[in-house]
Amino acid sequence: MKTLQQQLGKYGLYHRSKRNVLTHFIGIPLIVFAALCLLARIQIPLGSFVIDGAQLFVLASVVYYFMLSFSLGFIMAVIFTLLLVGAQPIAAMAFWPWLSIGVGVFVFGWVLQFIGHYYEGKKPAFVDDLIGLIIGPLYVTVELLFLMGFYKTLEGEVNAIAGPTKA
């Protein structure tokens, strides 16, 4: 398994334009939220307990993030849990409102992503490596943390792999 620095650095190669990263600050959380809204309708019985697809997705994602970094895994667990809590009422809606909101937000999030990649002049990272789909939420989180002055060593390591950002 690649290290945290390798994963973020490789993803960063596709995200050097500040405008692209800005669209990702909005688009990626919308995509994750929409996916959770849609997945929450899938009920998985486990004996006398029932878990939904969104909970399973959050669990698997957070386990992966913890494998990369305990502190960032914890931050991602909090963020994903908040998104999951927000998604549950939408998943409980009647079929057409649930589907309209879920698909609408999902499509809008992806439109923002592709606008960002137009500015970047590069294809999305997941086109070359599907792991980019799970690294994207982590990447925008660490980019926000970098802007806030946290994880300076990690920021230097990521930028050493990805190169400098551009306007």
Short mmCIF file of all heavy atoms in Angstrom, two decimals, residues 23 42 47 58 60 70 94 99 102 111 117 124 127 129-130 134-135 141:
data_model
loop_
_atom_site.label_atom_id
_atom_site.label_comp_id
_atom_site.label_asym_id
_atom_site.label_seq_id
_atom_site.Cartn_x
_atom_site.Cartn_y
_atom_site.Cartn_z
N THR A 23 -12.79 24.42 -6.84
CA THR A 23 -14.00 23.71 -7.27
C THR A 23 -14.13 22.38 -6.52
O THR A 23 -15.25 21.94 -6.24
CB THR A 23 -14.03 23.45 -8.79
OG1 THR A 23 -12.95 22.58 -9.16
CG2 THR A 23 -13.98 24.74 -9.58
N ILE A 42 -29.89 1.37 0.82
CA ILE A 42 -29.56 -0.05 0.72
C ILE A 42 -29.47 -0.62 2.14
O ILE A 42 -28.61 -0.21 2.92
CB ILE A 42 -28.24 -0.26 -0.03
CG1 ILE A 42 -28.31 0.32 -1.43
CG2 ILE A 42 -27.85 -1.74 -0.05
CD1 ILE A 42 -26.97 0.40 -2.15
N GLY A 47 -27.67 -10.41 10.91
CA GLY A 47 -28.32 -11.03 12.06
C GLY A 47 -29.52 -10.20 12.47
O GLY A 47 -30.40 -9.91 11.67
N VAL A 58 -18.90 4.49 4.73
CA VAL A 58 -18.18 5.34 5.68
C VAL A 58 -17.20 4.48 6.49
O VAL A 58 -16.03 4.87 6.66
CB VAL A 58 -19.15 6.11 6.60
CG1 VAL A 58 -18.42 6.74 7.78
CG2 VAL A 58 -19.89 7.18 5.81
N ALA A 60 -15.75 1.59 5.71
CA ALA A 60 -14.63 1.15 4.86
C ALA A 60 -13.69 2.31 4.55
O ALA A 60 -12.46 2.16 4.60
CB ALA A 60 -15.16 0.53 3.57
N PHE A 70 -3.50 8.18 11.51
CA PHE A 70 -4.48 8.13 12.59
C PHE A 70 -5.19 9.47 12.76
O PHE A 70 -6.41 9.53 12.84
CB PHE A 70 -3.83 7.71 13.92
CG PHE A 70 -4.84 7.59 15.02
CD1 PHE A 70 -5.64 6.47 15.12
CD2 PHE A 70 -5.01 8.62 15.94
CE1 PHE A 70 -6.61 6.37 16.11
CE2 PHE A 70 -5.96 8.54 16.93
CZ PHE A 70 -6.76 7.40 17.03
N ALA A 94 -39.58 10.01 0.44
CA ALA A 94 -40.24 9.21 -0.60
C ALA A 94 -39.27 9.02 -1.76
O ALA A 94 -38.30 9.76 -1.91
CB ALA A 94 -41.51 9.91 -1.07
N LEU A 99 -34.46 10.36 -4.80
CA LEU A 99 -33.68 10.13 -6.01
C LEU A 99 -33.31 11.45 -6.68
O LEU A 99 -32.16 11.62 -7.13
CB LEU A 99 -34.46 9.24 -6.98
CG LEU A 99 -33.69 8.75 -8.21
CD1 LEU A 99 -32.50 7.90 -7.78
CD2 LEU A 99 -34.62 7.97 -9.13
N GLY A 102 -30.57 13.14 -4.48
CA GLY A 102 -29.32 12.37 -4.55
C GLY A 102 -28.63 12.50 -5.89
O GLY A 102 -27.44 12.83 -5.97
N VAL A 111 -20.15 18.16 -12.09
CA VAL A 111 -20.00 19.30 -13.00
C VAL A 111 -18.93 20.24 -12.47
O VAL A 111 -18.05 20.70 -13.22
CB VAL A 111 -21.35 20.03 -13.22
CG1 VAL A 111 -21.15 21.38 -13.89
CG2 VAL A 111 -22.31 19.16 -14.03
N HIS A 117 -11.25 20.77 -13.63
CA HIS A 117 -10.23 20.11 -14.46
C HIS A 117 -10.08 20.79 -15.82
O HIS A 117 -9.03 20.69 -16.45
CB HIS A 117 -10.51 18.61 -14.58
CG HIS A 117 -10.05 17.90 -13.35
ND1 HIS A 117 -8.73 17.61 -13.11
CD2 HIS A 117 -10.74 17.47 -12.27
CE1 HIS A 117 -8.62 17.02 -11.95
NE2 HIS A 117 -9.83 16.93 -11.40
N PRO A 124 -9.20 14.12 -14.57
CA PRO A 124 -9.27 13.78 -13.14
C PRO A 124 -8.34 12.62 -12.79
O PRO A 124 -8.09 11.74 -13.61
CB PRO A 124 -10.74 13.39 -12.92
CG PRO A 124 -11.48 14.04 -14.04
CD PRO A 124 -10.52 14.06 -15.21
N VAL A 127 -9.16 8.78 -13.35
CA VAL A 127 -9.12 8.18 -14.68
C VAL A 127 -7.92 7.25 -14.80
O VAL A 127 -8.00 6.19 -15.43
CB VAL A 127 -9.09 9.28 -15.77
CG1 VAL A 127 -8.85 8.68 -17.15
CG2 VAL A 127 -10.38 10.09 -15.74
N ASP A 129 -6.19 6.12 -11.94
CA ASP A 129 -6.10 5.27 -10.75
C ASP A 129 -7.38 5.46 -9.94
O ASP A 129 -7.61 6.54 -9.39
CB ASP A 129 -4.88 5.65 -9.93
CG ASP A 129 -4.60 4.71 -8.78
OD1 ASP A 129 -5.40 3.78 -8.53
OD2 ASP A 129 -3.56 4.90 -8.11
N LEU A 130 -8.19 4.42 -9.86
CA LEU A 130 -9.49 4.52 -9.18
C LEU A 130 -9.37 4.89 -7.71
O LEU A 130 -10.33 5.38 -7.12
CB LEU A 130 -10.27 3.21 -9.33
CG LEU A 130 -10.89 2.99 -10.70
CD1 LEU A 130 -11.57 1.62 -10.75
CD2 LEU A 130 -11.86 4.09 -11.07
N ILE A 134 -11.33 7.74 -3.60
CA ILE A 134 -11.34 7.76 -2.14
C ILE A 134 -10.32 8.75 -1.58
O ILE A 134 -10.48 9.27 -0.49
CB ILE A 134 -11.15 6.34 -1.54
CG1 ILE A 134 -11.56 6.31 -0.07
CG2 ILE A 134 -9.76 5.84 -1.71
CD1 ILE A 134 -13.01 6.55 0.18
N ILE A 135 -9.27 9.04 -2.35
CA ILE A 135 -8.26 10.00 -1.90
C ILE A 135 -8.78 11.44 -2.05
O ILE A 135 -8.41 12.32 -1.28
CB ILE A 135 -6.94 9.81 -2.68
CG1 ILE A 135 -6.32 8.46 -2.30
CG2 ILE A 135 -5.94 10.93 -2.39
CD1 ILE A 135 -5.97 8.30 -0.83
N THR A 141 -9.57 17.80 2.27
CA THR A 141 -9.48 18.05 3.71
C THR A 141 -8.08 18.52 4.09
O THR A 141 -7.93 19.51 4.81
CB THR A 141 -9.86 16.78 4.50
OG1 THR A 141 -11.20 16.41 4.16
CG2 THR A 141 -9.75 17.01 5.99
#
